[in-house]
Amino acid sequence: MSVHTMLEAVNLSKRYEDGALAVDDVSFSVRPGEIFAMLGGNGAGKTTTINIFLNFLEPTAGEARINGIAAHRAPLEAKRHVAFVSENVMLYPTFTAVQNLDYFARLGGKTQYTADDYRRVLLRVGLQEEAHHKKLKGFSKGMRQKCGIAIAILKDAPAILLDEPTSGLDPKSGFEFMQLLGSLRDEGKAVLMSTHDIFRAKETADTIGIMRQGRLVMQRSRAGLAGEDLERLYMEHMAGVHE
Ligand SMILES: Nc1ncnc2c1ncn2[C@@H]1O[C@H](COP(=O)(O)OP(=O)(O)OP(=O)(O)O)[C@@H](O)[C@H]1O
Ligand SMILES: [Mg+2]
C-alpha cells in the first residue's frame, strides 16, 4: 500500500503582478515521514512556493495541496494541517517563552497543554530551562527559532513548512535543529523546507529539489544521491549544464 501524499505541488506557477515568473510549472510531493529540502539561488522561487502553500499568495496556475486540499481554495481547512516556522519568527517580545507557547497553542484551539507540556517541548527543542520564563525580547535568533519550532510541534499538524530555518543559527544550533527535524520526520511529519545549506540538506533530507529561475530543475531521493557530490550537482544545475 502506498503512503498518501501530504504536501503536493501540482503544475504550480506564480507570476507576480510586475510580470516576474517566480514559480514555473513546479510539481513535487512530500509524504508523511519525509523531508523535502528545496535548494536554489537567491530569487529561484523557494519562498514563493512555500508562501503559496500557506495561501499568503495565490497561484497563477496549478495547485499547492495540503492533505489533498488546495491551499487557495480552502485556506482555513488547509491551514489546519500545517505548521509554519518562518525565517523571522513572529513572536511576542514582551511575552516569555512559555507565554508565547501558551498564546499560540490557545490561538490554535489547543487548550489542554499544561505547564509541564510547555517545559518538555522547550527542552526538546533545546531551549535551556533558565530561559523558559524570560521575555523573548532578550532572546537570540536561535532561541527565538527554537520557540518557533516548539509552537509548530504543539500545533501537532501532520505537515511542517520552514523557510530557511537554519539561516543565522550557529553550527551547533543548526546541527541540532536538523536533528530535531529528523525526529519529527521519524514521527511521521511531512516536512517541506528551503535552505542554502547543501551539506545539512544532504544529511537530513529524504528528497532534494533544486530550483532555478522558478523551475524545479532537479529532484532526487536520498538513494538517487548516493555517491553523488551534491555540491557539484548544484553548481552544474546553477550553470544550466543539465538543461
Ligand atoms: N512580492 C513580490 N513582487 C514581485 N516579485 C517578487 C515578489 N517576491 C518575490 N519576487 C520575485 O520572485 C522571484 C522568486 O523570489 P523568491 O523570494 O521566491 O526566491 P527565493 O528562492 O526564496 O530566494 P532567496 O534564496 O533569496 O530567499 C524573484 O525573482 C523575486 O524577485
Ligand atoms: Mg526565500
Side-chain angles (χ1 to χ4, degrees):
M1 197 178 77
S2 71
V3 183
H4 67 292
T5 287
M6 181 55 64
L7 295 165
E8 192 174 22
V10 186
N11 303 113
L12 193 63
S13 294
K14 175 66 185 179
R15 188 182 289 283
Y16 284 102
E17 257 111 71
D18 61 5
L21 188 58
V23 175
D24 184 1
D25 198 22
V26 164
S27 297
F28 61 81
S29 60
V30 191
R31 290 183 301 237
E34 184 181 2
I35 297 176
F36 186 100
M38 283 190 284
L39 300 172
N42 297 128
K46 304 177 298 295
T47 296
T48 302
T49 301
I50 288 171
N51 285 347
I52 297 170
F53 275 96
L54 295 165
N55 196 45
F56 294 160
L57 292 170
E58 278 228 357
T60 309
E63 289 187 352
R65 296 181 190 147
I66 300 171
N67 202 17
I69 304 155
H72 70 289
R73 284 190 217 284
L76 293 180
E77 174 66 4
K79 272 184 198 170
R80 289 204 303 119
H81 302 283
V82 68
F84 175 53
V85 183
S86 76
E87 194 176 345
N88 303 298
V89 189
M90 281 302 298
L91 302 168
Y92 285 94
T94 59
F95 285 11
T96 68
V98 167
Q99 285 169 340
N100 269 284
L101 264 53
D102 188 53
Y103 177 81
F104 283 102
R106 285 172 190 281
L107 200 64
K110 303 255 185 220
T111 53
Q112 75 274 33
Y113 292 127
T114 63
D116 195 50
D117 292 326
Y118 295 136
R119 182 177 160 273
R120 276 188 291 121
V121 75
L122 286 172
L123 290 176
R124 179 178 179 193
V125 302
L127 190 74
Q128 64 273 33
E129 198 151 13
E130 56 270 27
H132 292 192
H133 295 284
K134 291 207 173 120
K135 287 184 175 158
L136 263 281
K137 62 185 174 194
F139 279 20
S140 71
K141 175 167 185 163
M143 291 163 81
R144 284 199 305 274
Q145 192 77 315
K146 286 170 180 171
C147 289
I149 190 89
I151 288 166
I153 291 170
L154 291 175
K155 184 167 179 184
D156 198 24
I160 301 175
L161 301 187
L162 310 99
D163 195 6
E164 292 191 37
T166 56
S167 84
L169 297 190
D170 70 58
K172 180 166 175 283
S173 298
F175 172 78
E176 288 168 357
F177 197 90
M178 293 304 283
Q179 297 272 99
L180 180 63
L181 279 188
S183 75
L184 291 167
R185 176 258 322 275
D186 295 342
E187 287 172 12
K189 307 289 187 194
V191 179
L192 170 63
M193 65 181 293
S194 73
T195 182
H196 290 298
D197 191 333
I198 293 179
F199 300 101
R200 288 263 151 70
K202 187 171 182 187
E203 264 169 23
T204 314
D206 301 281
T207 310
I208 304 268
I210 296 179
M211 289 192 72
R212 177 173 183 257
Q213 295 174 357
R215 283 180 301 120
L216 190 60
V217 292
M218 190 205 88
Q219 188 176 171
R220 282 207 204 181
S221 66
R222 185 193 299 280
L225 284 167
E228 288 274 12
D229 179 345
L230 181 58
E231 190 174 31
R232 184 183 57 78
L233 267 178
Y234 177 88
M235 294 306 172
E236 288 175 2
H237 278 287
M238 289 302 107
V241 168
H242 298 274
E243 286 157 57

